[in-house]
Amino acid sequence: MDDPRLTPARPDLAAKYLEGKVKAARFVEGHQFEIADALAPLREAPSGDAALLTQALKGERVTIYDRDNEGFAWGQLNSDGYVGWLPDRALAEPGAKPTHKITSLRTFAFPGPSIKLPPAEMLVMGSLVTVLREDGPFAVTRENWYLPRRHLGAIDHLEADFVAVAERFVGTPYLWGGKSSLGIDCSGLVQVALNAAGTGCPRDSDMQEDGLGRALSAAEAGRLQRGDLIFWKGHVAIARDAETVVHANAHHMATAVENTGEAIARIKAAGSEVTSIKRLT
């Protein structure tokens, strides 16, 4: 059965590319938009108080299949395929192809070439922007925002160590569905970190367990390496070394570094066993 999280299909409407594969009253071609807001919530239902499934970052592309009259649009993110409802106000017609991405945890976009000006926006790691020119220490985007050049990388910039990226999020508050240093969940941390290093990654921990790396044998699991992923039902942690993990978790309500054995014991006491340990290389 197709995963509903990744399948833009409802009884009344589905994506045209699914015709013949799913049942729906009608099939529609989607329309491409880009995320204009710094951070857009993708929700389970067209309501501001519906469950947060994930977040879309500025510059991401999304295919929209339906729009209601209450300010919401239903579609599929192009990056990881997640399906849900976005606020209409967060969408814009696609502009010029992004040239750069935010490489700092977050940065301010200023309305002119001075850090003393009140910021026009705040952007988070992984946001995509189109730089038109440089002005001293700033890069000027098509929105006429002035971004600190040291917080930007070229669109093809890759971090060398995804674990080091995850470690930079230590102290970030835990947020179910979150994908930024303002709030992040366990699988969001894995996805953001791996994406920064150039590795495609599904959104949710069960998808990651199914799709990433190879499962370690019991003998290998006793010798954890940096970058190994430890999975439980509904949770994932990243090994920093043989002794510690970094993970966004609801126990600490933050991204934290924890002794691996203590984390496994604590989570086991709460009723969940390790389901697998995966190695990416």
Side-chain angles (χ1 to χ4, degrees), residues 5 13 16-18 30 37 49 53 65 69 84 88 92 131 155 191 196 205 244-245 258 261 264 271 275:
R5 294 170 294 181
L13 180 148
K16 186 74 172 175
Y17 74 85
L18 293 172
D37 283 6
D49 58 6
L53 300 176
Y65 295 101
N69 296 317
D88 240 338
V131 172
I155 201 75
Q191 187 184 51
S205 61
T244 61
V245 294
E258 192 172 4
I264 290 173
T275 53

Side-chain angles (χ1 to χ4, degrees), residues 61-125:
R61 298 307 202 254
V62 58
T63 306
I64 295 299
Y65 295 101
D66 187 28
R67 302 171 98 161
D68 67 10
N69 296 317
E70 306 295 329
F72 286 90
W74 182 74
Q76 183 172 34
L77 299 179
N78 292 12
S79 56
D80 61 17
Y82 221 104
V83 174
W85 291 88
L86 290 158
D88 240 338
R89 59 167 173 73
L91 304 176
E93 292 291 332
K97 191 174 180 180
T99 61
H100 290 73
K101 59 187 174 183
I102 306 301
T103 54
S104 59
L105 285 179
R106 51 194 176 274
T107 191
F108 289 113
F110 297 97
S114 171
I115 60 172
K116 296 181 180 180
L117 294 170
E121 186 58 275
M122 184 177 68
L123 302 178
V124 300
M125 180 185 285

